[in-house]
C-alpha cells in the first residue's frame, strides 16, 4: 500500500480534474496549487488518513491520480524533494519565448 | 481496473433476452438436455457424445484461443462465445472476423467478460451478434439506445451487407450502430 | 492536398459529439478515471506533469495555411500561445483544460483536423516523407497511399485494441526521409520494370527499450493489395503479439521471436483470405485520391534565377541559409525550404502563435498554401520559387525563423522530457538548449557539417536517440539526471541503431562530452567532405571511447 513506503515527511499531490493543474492537499481535504501550503505528515497513521481522504468519494470528480510524495519542511512551508516533483510544483525549467 | 459488476444480462437482436444457454465447466458431468456451451478442451475430449446432442452445442473460447482444431466442426455449432478478460485485450475481434469472413460461421458470436459500451460498436462490426453485459452503465446505455454514435466507417467489416457508402469502395455507412 | 468530403466531415463531427459526451460523463462522475483514461487517450488527451496535453494529428505532416492558422488560434485562445511539433509530424498543446477539449476538437473539425488515434494501442497517425510531391529524387508521391491508409486505419473495428501502438510510415523516394525502417510497417513505393507501382514492405522496426531495424517482408506488393496486405499483417499481430509485457508487445518482438519466415507464412495465409475482396483498391479509386495531390500550378521557369544568384553573392546570411535550408525541387525554378524550429538556445520544435501565423501567410503567398511538418521537428515550405527566396528569407528572418542550421549540430531533436512528460527520467530540452548554445557559432557549425543529435528523456525514445548520429538518453541514477550517449545511429535508408559509447554523464558533463566527440570527429576526418557518420562508419566507436574516457 501507499502507507509509509516513503518513510519521511509526506504530502498528497494530484492533478485537478477539469484543468489538469497540479494541486496539493490540505488537512481538511481542500486543494491548493501552492505546494508550500500543502499539509504534510510523518506519522504513518496520519499519512494513511491523508491519502485515504484524497481518494475518498467526492475527490473522484475533483482530482486525478492522488499520490503521496516526499517533502521537506522548510521555513517557507512544504517543499518537494525529488526533481520530478520540484518541476511539477514549480513548472517547466524552460520557458518558451522567442 | 475493477468495473463494478451487476448480474450479467444478455443483449441480442436489439434487446435484453433470457439466456437460453448453459455454460458447462470442464469436469462436471454434462447435463442431459438443453443448449450447452463447453470449452474447446471439453469439446475435443467429449466430441463424440457432444455432437450427438439434439439441443444445440456451442464452444466458449478464451482470448486468442486458436480455431484450428474446431474449424471442421463449425457447422455443428450454433454459437461461439469469445471471452474478453479485459476490454483492452483485442484478440477476439480478429477471431470473430476470421469466423465470419474466412470460415463463414453464421451462428451467434457472443462477447463475454469485460464488455463495455464504448466498445460495442467495434464488436458489432467485427461480427459479434450477442453480448453478455455485466457493467451497469453499459446495461443502461444499451437499454436507452445510447450506444454507437458513429455511423461512418472507413473500412469494410464483417457485417456490411449492402451498406456501401458513397465515395470510396472501402467506406461503409451503418443505418444505426 | 486531401480535402474532406461530406463523409469525412460527418465522421469527425460524430467523433467530437461522442467525446463531448464522454467528457461530460467523466466530469459528472459517471465515468471513473480508470474508465475514462483509455477513452481520452483515443482522442490524444494525455495527463502530463503540469496539465492535460492534446496531441493533434497532422496526417503525414501536411498542413494548409488555414489549418496552421487554426493551430495558432488554439495555442493563443486555449493554451499559452505556443505549440510543440513532434517527431511524429504532429503538434502538441501542453496546457489544455479538459473541460475545453470538446470545443477545441470542434474547432479542429472546422479545418478538417482531429486528434483521433494520436495515442492508444491502435494504428497511429500515418507518417510520410515531408518532401513528398516536391523532392527532386522522388519516384512516387507517397501521400495518396498515406491518405488511403489513414482512412482505412481510422477507428478500425478490429485494430483498436492491439497489443501496443502501431506506426506506419510511407516513402516514395530511394533516399528515405521518413525513417521507414524504424516503424512497425514501413512502405517504400517504387516502380517495377513495367512502370507499375509496387511496395517494398518492411515490418518490425522500432525504437524504445529494444530498438530494432525492420525486415523486408515483401518487395513487390501491387498497389491494389496495399490495404489487404496491411490488414493481414495487423491481424496476425493482433492475435499473436505478446500481451504479457508491454515492453515486448510491439510487432518487432513478434518478428524477432517468431522469425521473419514464419511470420510471413502466417501473414500470407490471412492475406489469401482477404485479397481480391472488399479491401482491393481499384485503380480508379486510387486515382480519385491521387487527384487531391495533383501538382499545384507550377510556372514554367528556367532552372536558375538571377534574383537568387545575386542574393547569394551579395548577402552572406542569405547564402548561409540557402546552403543549409534548401533542398532540390523536382520542378525547375523551385526549391524546398526548411524552416528550422531550432533557433539557438530555444526548445526544439516549439513555435509561437505569431510564428505559426507568419508561416501560414508566407505559405499562402509563396508556397501554394502548403506547409509540412518534419519528424525532425521543423517545418517546410515545399514549393517556393527561386525568385521568391530572398523575400521569403527576409520574412522568415523577421520572426526569428531563418536559423540556417537544418541538418547541422544545433538542429537537435529533443522530446519534451522531464519538463513536461510524466514518463520522463531526465530533462531533454535544457540539454538541447545548452548544446545549441555551445555550438552557436555558425561558421563552426558549417565546418562540422551534417550531424544529427537526438535526445530522449527516457527509454521510450520519442526523441529518436537510437538513430541519432549522436544519441542522448536521459536516465535517473539515484534521483540524479544522467545521460547515456550512443554513436552511429541513422534513420535513413542506411538505417543503423547507435552503439552505447560507455558510462553516462551527469547534466554538468554532458555538453563537454558532446564537444569532445565532435573534436574527435574533426581530428579523424579525411576532409571536410567526410561527414561525422562516414567517419564513424569507417573507424567505429573505439577512437571516440578513447578520447571520451581518457581521464577515467
Ligand atoms: S522519450 Fe520518454 S520522456 Fe521523452 S517524451 Fe517520450 S516518454 Fe516522455
Amino acid at each position: 500500500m501507499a502507507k509509509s513506503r516513503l518513510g519521511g515527511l509526506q504530502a498528497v499531490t494530484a492533478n485537478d480534474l477539469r484543468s489538469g493543474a497540479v494541486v496539493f492537499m490540505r488537512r481538511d481535504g481542500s486543494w491548493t496549487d501552492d505546494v508550500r501550503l500543502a499539509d504534510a505528515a510523518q506519522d504513518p497513521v496520519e499519512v494513511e488518513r491523508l491519502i485515504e481522504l484524497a481518494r475518498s468519494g467526492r475527490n473522484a470528480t475533483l482530482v486525478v491520480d492522488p499520490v503521496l510524495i516526499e517533502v521537506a519542511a522548510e521555513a517557507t512551508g512544504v517543499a518537494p524533494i525529488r526533481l520530478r516533483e520540484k518541476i511539477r510544483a514549480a513548472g517547466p525549467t524552460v520557458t518558451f519565448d522567442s | 481496473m475493477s468495473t463494478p459488476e451487476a448480474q450479467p444480462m444478455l443483449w441480442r437482436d436489439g434487446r435484453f433476452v433470457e439466456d437460453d444457454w448453459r455454460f458447462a465447466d470442464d469436469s462436471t458431468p454434462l447435463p442431459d438436455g438443453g443448449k450447452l456451451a463447453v470449452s474447446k478442451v471439453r469439446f475435443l475430449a467429449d466430441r463424440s457424445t457432444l455432437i450427438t446432442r439434439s439441443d444445440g452445442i456451442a464452444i466458449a473460447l478464451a482470448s486468442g484461443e486458436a480455431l484450428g482444431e474446431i474449424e471442421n466442426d463449425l457447422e455443428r455449432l450454433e454459437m461461439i462465445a469469445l471471452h474478453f478478460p479485459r476490454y483492452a485485450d483485442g484478440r477476439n475481434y480478429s477471431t470473430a472476423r476470421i469466423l465470419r469472413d474466412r470460415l463463414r460461421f453464421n451462428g451467434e458470436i457472443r462477447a463475454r467478460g469485460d464488455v463495455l459500451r464504448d466498445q460495442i460498436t467495434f464488436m458489432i462490426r467485427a461480427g459479434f451478434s450477442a453480448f453478455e453485459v455485466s457493467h451497469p452503465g453499459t446495461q443502461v446505455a444499451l437499454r436507452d439506445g445510447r450506444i454507437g454514435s458513429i455511423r461512418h466507417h472507413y473500412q469494410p467489416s464483417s457485417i456490411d451487407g449492402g451498406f456501401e457508402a458513397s465515395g470510396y469502395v472501402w467506406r461503409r455507412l451503418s443505418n444505426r450502430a | 492536398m486531401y480535402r474532406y468530403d461530406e463523409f469525412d466531415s460527418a465522421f469527425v463531427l460524430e467523433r467530437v459529439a461522442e467525446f463531448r459526451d464522454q467528457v461530460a460523463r467523466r466530469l459528472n462522475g459517471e465515468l471513473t478515471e480508470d474508465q475514462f483514461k483509455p477513452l481520452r487517450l483515443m482522442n490524444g488527451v494525455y495527463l502530463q506533469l503540469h496539465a492535460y496535453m492534446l496531441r493533434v494529428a497532422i496526417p503525414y505532416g501536411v498542413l494548409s495555411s488555414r489549418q496552421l492558422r487554426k493551430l495558432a488560434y488554439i495555442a493563443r485562445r486555449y493554451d499559452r500561445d505556443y505549440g510543440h511539433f513532434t517527431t511524429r509530424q504532429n503538434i502538441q498543446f501542453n496546457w489544455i483544460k479538459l473541460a475545453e477539449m470538446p470545443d477545441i476538437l470542434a474547432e479542429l473539425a472546422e479545418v478538417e483536423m482531429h486528434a483521433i488515434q494520436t495515442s492508444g494501442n491502435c494504428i497511429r497517425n500515418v507518417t510520410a516523407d515531408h518532401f513528398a510531391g516536391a523532392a527532386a529524387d522522388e519516384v512516387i508521391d507517397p501521400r495518396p497511399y498515406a491518405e488511403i491508409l489513414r482512412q482505412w486505419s481510422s477507428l478500425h473495428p478490429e485494430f483498436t485494441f492491439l497489443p501496443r501502438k502501431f506506426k506506419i510510415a510511407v516513402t516514395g523516394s530511394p533516399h528515405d526521409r521518413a525513417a521507414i525502417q524504424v516503424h512497425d510497417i514501413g512502405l517504400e513505393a517504387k516502380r517495377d520494370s513495367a512502370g507499375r507501382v509496387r511496395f517494398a514492405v518492411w515490418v518490425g522496426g522500432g525504437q524504445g527499450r529494444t530498438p530494432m531495424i525492420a525486415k523486408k517482408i515483401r518487395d513487390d506488393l501491387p498497389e491494389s493489395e496495399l490495404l489487404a496486405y496491411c490488414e493481414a499483417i495487423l491481424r496476425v499481430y493482433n492475435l499473436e503479439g505478446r500481451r504479457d509485457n508491454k515492453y515486448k508487445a510491439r510487432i518487432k518482438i513478434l518478428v524477432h521471436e517468431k522469425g521473419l519466415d514464419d511470420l510471413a507464412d502466417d501473414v500470407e495465409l490471412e492475406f489469401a483470405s482477404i485479397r481480391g475482396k472488399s479491401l482491393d483498391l481499384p485503380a480508379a479509386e486510387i486515382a480519385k485520391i491521387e487527384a487531391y495531390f495533383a501538382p499545384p500550378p507550377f510556372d514554367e521557369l528556367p532552372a536558375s534565377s538571377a534574383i537568387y544568384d545575386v542574393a547569394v553573392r551579395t548577402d552572406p546570411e542569405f547564402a548561409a541559409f540557402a546552403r543549409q535550408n534548401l533542398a532540390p525541387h523536382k520542378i525547375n525554378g523551385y526549391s524546398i525550404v526548411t524552416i528550422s524550429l531550432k533557433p539557438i538556445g530555444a526548445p526544439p520544435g516549439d513555435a509561437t502563435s505569431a510564428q505559426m501565423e507568419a508561416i501560414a501567410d508566407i505559405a499562402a503567398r509563396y508556397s501554394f498554401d502548403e506547409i509540412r511538418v518534419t519528424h525532425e521537428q521543423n517545418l517546410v515550405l515545399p514549393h517556393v520559387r527561386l525568385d521568391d527566396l530572398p523575400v521569403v528569407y527576409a520574412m522568415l528572418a523577421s520572426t526569428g525563423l531563418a536559423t540556417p542550421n537544418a541538418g547541422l549540430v544545433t538542429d537537435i531533436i529533443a522530446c519534451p522530457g522531464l519538463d513536461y512528460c510524466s514518463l520522463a527520467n531526465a530533462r531533454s530540452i535544457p540539454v538541447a538548449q545548452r548544446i545549441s548554445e555551445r555550438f552557436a557559432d555558425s561558421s563552426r557549425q558549417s565546418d562540422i557539417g551534417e550531424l544529427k543529435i537526438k535526445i530522449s528523456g527516457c527509454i521510450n525514445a520519442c526523441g529518436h536517440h537510437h538513430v541519432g548520429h549522436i544519441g542522448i538518453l536521459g536516465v535517473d541514477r539515484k534521483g540524479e539526471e544522467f545521460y547515456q550517449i550512443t554513436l552511429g545511429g541513422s534513420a535513413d535508408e542506411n538505417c543503423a541503431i547507435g552503439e552505447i559509447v560507455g558510462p553516462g554523464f551527469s547534466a554538468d558533463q554532458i555538453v563537454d562530452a558532446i564537444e569532445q566527440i565532435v573534436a574527435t570527429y574533426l581530428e579523424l576526418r579525411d576532409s571536410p567532405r567526410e561527414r561525422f557518420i562516414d567517419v564513424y562508419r569507417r573507424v567505429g566507436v573505439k577512437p571516440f571511447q578513447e578520447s571520451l574516457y581518457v581521464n577515467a
Side-chain angles (χ1 to χ4, degrees), chain C residues 388-458:
Chain C
D388 293 334
L389 283 171
V391 178
V392 167
Y393 170 75
M395 293 173 84
L396 290 172
S398 71
T399 53
L401 290 166
T403 314
N405 64 350
L408 297 179
V409 60
T410 59
D411 183 5
I412 299 167
I413 291 183
C415 79
L418 191 54
D419 283 299
Y420 294 96
C421 176
S422 59
L423 302 171
N425 287 323
R427 284 172 291 172
S428 311
I429 298 169
V431 174
Q433 291 175 304
R434 284 158 51 218
I435 295 171
S436 169
E437 277 156 7
R438 180 73 63 93
F439 290 96
D441 182 75
S442 73
S443 57
R444 184 178 180 202
Q445 286 187 55
S446 49
D447 177 45
I448 295 165
E450 182 185 303
L451 178 46
K452 302 195 174 192
I453 299 182
K454 308 191 184 205
I455 310 174
S456 304
C458 81

Side-chain angles (χ1 to χ4, degrees), chain B residues 42-54:
Chain B
R42 181 112 202 216
F43 178 81
L44 294 174
D46 293 339
R47 183 178 177 280
S48 51
T49 40
L50 280 167
I51 61 175
T52 61
R53 291 172 70 96
S54 54

Side-chain angles (χ1 to χ4, degrees), chain B residues 1-4 63-65 71 84 86-99 101-102 104 116-119 121-126 135-138 140-141 146-158 160 164-173, chain C residues 2 4-12 14-15 17-18 21-22 25 30-31 34-35 37-39 42 121 147-148 150-163 227 231 234-236 238-241 243 269-270 273 277-282 285-286 288-289 292:
Chain B
M1 321 270 132
S2 61
T3 337
S63 189
E65 210 174 346
E71 275 183 28
F84 289 83
R86 296 170 302 118
Y87 77 87
D89 182 338
R91 284 175 284 185
N92 274 335
Y93 290 94
S94 288
T95 306
R97 293 209 66 194
I98 290 171
L99 281 168
D101 296 358
R102 166 147 52 97
R104 302 278 156 215
L116 301 176
R117 64 181 279 182
D118 294 289
Q119 281 83 54
T121 316
F122 295 130
M123 290 178 174
I124 291 171
R125 300 198 67 235
H135 177 249
T138 302
V140 172
R146 291 195 293 128
I147 292 282
S149 44
I150 294 186
R151 297 173 51 232
H152 293 75
H153 312 292
Y154 280 107
Q155 56 294 106
S157 73
S158 298
D160 288 329
E164 205 152 298
S166 61
Y168 299 91
V169 285
W170 54 84
R171 292 180 177 179
R172 296 295 183 274
L173 192 63
Chain C
Y2 184 72
Y4 278 14
D5 56 23
E6 281 172 27
F7 185 99
D8 299 293
S9 304
F11 168 81
V12 170
E14 284 170 348
R15 184 64 167 174
E18 181 184 63
D21 173 59
Q22 290 166 345
R25 283 191 274 143
E30 190 185 324
L31 289 175
D34 280 345
Q35 292 163 344
K37 186 175 174 182
L39 302 177
M42 285 177 63
N121 292 336
E147 173 57 27
I148 290 169
R150 179 193 77 80
Q151 296 199 16
W152 159 78
S153 62
S154 291
L155 299 190
H156 196 298
E158 187 180 349
F159 304 135
T160 300
F161 300 98
L162 297 168
L227 292 185
E231 183 140 310
L234 264 299
R235 181 169 293 168
V236 171
N238 189 37
L239 283 168
E240 296 186 25
R243 290 174 187 265
L269 182 71
E270 283 305 327
S273 77
K277 297 185 187 154
S278 53
L279 274 178
D280 212 46
L281 292 172
E285 297 280 293
I286 298 174
K288 270 199 289 187
I289 296 283
Y292 285 106

Side-chain angles (χ1 to χ4, degrees), chain C residues 57-218:
Chain C
I58 300 176
Y60 35 96
V62 176
L63 280 173
S64 68
S65 297
R66 182 162 160 260
Q67 290 174 324
L68 186 55
R69 277 194 202 102
K70 179 63 90 177
L71 296 175
Y73 170 79
I74 288 169
R76 181 175 293 130
R77 164 86 172 71
Y78 297 98
D79 201 291
R80 299 193 175 174
D81 215 23
Y82 71 96
H84 175 76
F85 290 96
T86 77
T87 53
R88 298 274 314 142
Q89 297 180 303
N90 293 324
I91 187 169
Q92 292 176 183
F93 296 107
N94 285 311
W95 307 91
I96 303 279
K97 295 183 173 58
L98 180 62
E100 294 182 338
M101 286 293 174
D103 292 342
I104 297 171
L105 295 182
E107 300 257 16
L108 289 169
E110 283 175 20
V111 294
E112 308 178 5
M113 298 184 82
H114 59 67
I116 299 165
Q117 286 171 214
T118 56
S119 175
N121 292 336
C122 53
I123 304 171
R124 299 290 187 88
N125 184 32
V126 176
T127 55
D129 184 352
H130 45 261
F131 290 169
D137 62 7
E138 181 172 275
V139 178
I140 289 165
D141 186 344
R143 290 173 299 170
Y145 303 102
E147 173 57 27
I148 290 169
L149 288 161
R150 179 193 77 80
Q151 296 199 16
W152 159 78
S153 62
S154 291
L155 299 190
H156 196 298
E158 187 180 349
F159 304 135
T160 300
F161 300 98
L162 297 168
R164 201 77 175 84
K165 59 189 167 186
F166 201 93
K167 300 175 181 177
I168 303 177
V170 199
T171 185
S173 161
H175 176 51
D176 177 13
R177 285 171 290 262
I180 65 168
Q181 291 181 48
V182 283
H183 281 77
D184 296 285
I185 291 180
L187 297 163
E188 183 198 343
K190 52 189 186 174
R191 288 194 192 282
D192 68 6
S193 50
R196 294 169 304 190
V197 177
R198 291 287 184 269
F199 286 95
V201 183
W202 298 74
V203 65
Q207 302 193 51
R209 179 168 299 215
T210 317
M212 289 194 188
I213 296 173
K215 298 202 162 67
K216 199 189 275 188
I217 190 167
R218 281 289 291 268

